[in-house]
Amino acid sequence: MSNRDNSATTSVEDGAVSEAVIRAISQVNGVDPLDLSPLYDTIDPDALDRLFRPTISTERDIESCVQFTMAGCEITITDNQVVAAKLLSTVDT
């Protein structure tokens, strides 16, 4: 097993939250993104991207946060367009 960080944060680029999720998970697990199971096996990537799509108004009454697990990681996505992945356990991806 390689020595790697057990957490990573990734900025969302071009509104593609789903791509940031894959980058964060691959970084934490120390694997190529193409070696991961498809994101859609865990969560709908299009719905995830729509949920965090930038709006015309920057004011919101509530903050959005989505958490789920994938590939042994706890994923947290917040309104500030940052995806955090925390390694929960070592698993086969």
Side-chain angles (χ1 to χ4, degrees):
M1 182 157 96
S2 65
N3 184 13
R4 59 182 181 249
D5 292 335
N6 63 358
S7 64
T9 56
T10 304
S11 298
V12 174
E13 298 172 6
D14 300 324
V17 174
S18 56
E19 291 177 14
V21 167
I22 295 300
R23 283 195 312 271
I25 292 172
S26 67
Q27 182 179 350
V28 169
N29 279 300
V31 298
D32 187 284
L34 297 175
D35 292 336
L36 294 171
S37 296
L39 182 60
Y40 61 77
D41 284 350
T42 303
I43 195 167
D44 183 335
D46 294 328
L48 196 59
D49 290 340
R50 282 192 309 270
L51 182 63
F52 288 96
R53 182 177 21 216
T55 61
I56 295 171
S57 170
T58 57
E59 287 187 37
R60 288 190 172 185
D61 293 335
I62 60 171
E63 290 185 26
S64 298
C65 176
V66 171
Q67 289 184 311
F68 60 94
T69 58
M70 179 181 168
C73 295
E74 177 182 68
I75 309 303
T76 304
I77 308 162
T78 58
D79 276 342
N80 63 357
Q81 298 292 300
V82 172
V83 174
K86 179 181 177 185
L87 188 64
L88 298 174
S89 63
T90 303
V91 295
D92 292 330
T93 54

